[in-house]
Amino acid sequence: MTAARLVTASLDDRFSLSRLPDDLIVQSDSMNAARRQQWLAGRALLAEAMFTFTGCEMLPAIQISPQGKPSFVEPSLPYFSLSHSKNCLQLVLCTAGETGCDVEQMRPRPRYLDIALTAFSNTEFQWLLGQANPQTAFWQLWCLREAWLKQQGGSVWQMDRIQLDPAAGLFTSQPDSDSRLWCGADEAVMTAVAVPGGAGAPEEYRFDAGSGLLNLQTQRVWAQFVMAL
């Protein structure tokens, strides 16, 4: 298996639940309809990816850390991260170590400059203002932060733990981390992935609801960020 694989699907896809243990399906019964759809779709996509790439007939047992980060109980299995925005669902599987993924529909956000001024460093804010499409730049910086925080087991309230230098493709973090960040847009969707240092851009797949297969996609153009020395 390559170091990292990114799988994209739609929440509206017809996922088979046949690879999910009965207790997981029962666990979803108490959720509201929207939450249940998102929760089951993510686990069904994870199950299909594990079958495709590792041969697991059923989704392996999952544990949740005290910080809320899910992982497989069996330590030899890949690390993973799930993210969704509106109807877009994405999964990253990584064999090299902890990973994080964030996807955002690049919807208009009227107060995005106010948010950027509060959440981003001055270097990031000035870079954003200099871009041809500042709102797209906002989503890039937002996704990169979210992906790194998910890799670390952090939350959106800890965005000041990482600062980016987009012009140089560098970042600093508290604490220091051996991470590499990748970010790229696909039509109106922005994706960022955090992987261990040295890992390349993720190989991309799309879930085909008709066949249930994961089809290899043409690699998008990724921007790379590495830890500043």
Side-chain angles (χ1 to χ4, degrees):
M1 184 176 180
T2 57
R5 287 180 166 129
L6 172 69
V7 184
T8 300
S10 168
L11 284 178
D12 290 336
D13 286 340
R14 291 195 168 195
F15 293 97
S16 169
L17 304 183
S18 62
R19 299 192 191 282
L20 298 186
D22 291 341
D23 62 312
L24 278 187
I25 297 176
V26 171
Q27 187 178 342
S28 71
D29 288 344
S30 61
M31 302 174 185
N32 64 48
R35 171 59 177 156
R36 186 173 192 270
Q37 179 193 27
Q38 178 262 317
W39 195 85
L40 286 175
R43 279 145 188 80
L45 181 63
L46 178 59
E48 293 298 338
M50 289 298 291
F51 172 70
T52 298
F53 300 128
T54 70
C56 292
E57 294 283 349
M58 295 291 290
L59 181 66
I62 292 173
Q63 60 190 355
I64 307 296
S65 75
Q67 294 75 34
K69 184 175 175 62
S71 64
F72 291 121
V73 172
E74 170 53 54
S76 66
L77 294 176
Y79 297 85
F80 68 89
S81 180
L82 283 159
S83 182
H84 82 282
S85 178
K86 293 189 180 292
N87 205 39
C88 184
L89 174 64
Q90 290 192 330
L91 160 72
V92 170
L93 285 174
C94 184
T95 58
E98 292 284 4
T99 186
C101 173
D102 187 59
V103 59
E104 296 287 350
Q105 295 275 356
M106 291 189 286
R107 57 200 182 277
R109 196 159 185 173
R111 295 184 58 252
Y112 77 94
L113 286 178
D114 293 336
I115 297 169
L117 188 60
T118 301
F120 301 160
S121 69
N122 184 62
T123 297
E124 294 164 86
F125 187 72
Q126 295 303 320
W127 173 83
L128 180 154
L129 293 178
Q131 300 308 296
N133 190 330
Q135 194 151 189
T136 298
F138 168 85
W139 288 117
Q140 179 180 1
L141 295 174
W142 185 274
C143 284
L144 284 163
R145 276 181 157 72
E146 286 267 32
W148 183 83
L149 284 167
K150 287 183 179 181
Q151 183 195 35
Q152 304 302 311
S155 73
V156 69
W157 308 110
Q158 298 171 308
M159 280 201 164
D160 60 351
R161 288 177 53 191
I162 177 172
Q163 295 192 1
L164 300 148
D165 183 347
L170 300 173
F171 73 92
T172 56
S173 64
Q174 295 294 331
D176 290 346
S177 62
D178 180 25
S179 301
R180 181 169 295 186
L181 310 179
W182 298 91
C183 188
D186 182 8
E187 298 179 348
V189 175
M190 182 69 71
T191 298
V193 175
V195 292
E203 192 173 74
E204 295 191 61
Y205 293 80
R206 182 170 290 274
F207 175 73
D208 181 84
S211 65
L213 298 177
L214 275 56
N215 296 323
L216 185 64
Q217 301 294 293
T218 302
Q219 195 85 333
R220 76 183 72 191
V221 176
W222 292 93
Q224 176 185 189
F225 288 74
V226 298
M227 188 76 181
L229 299 178

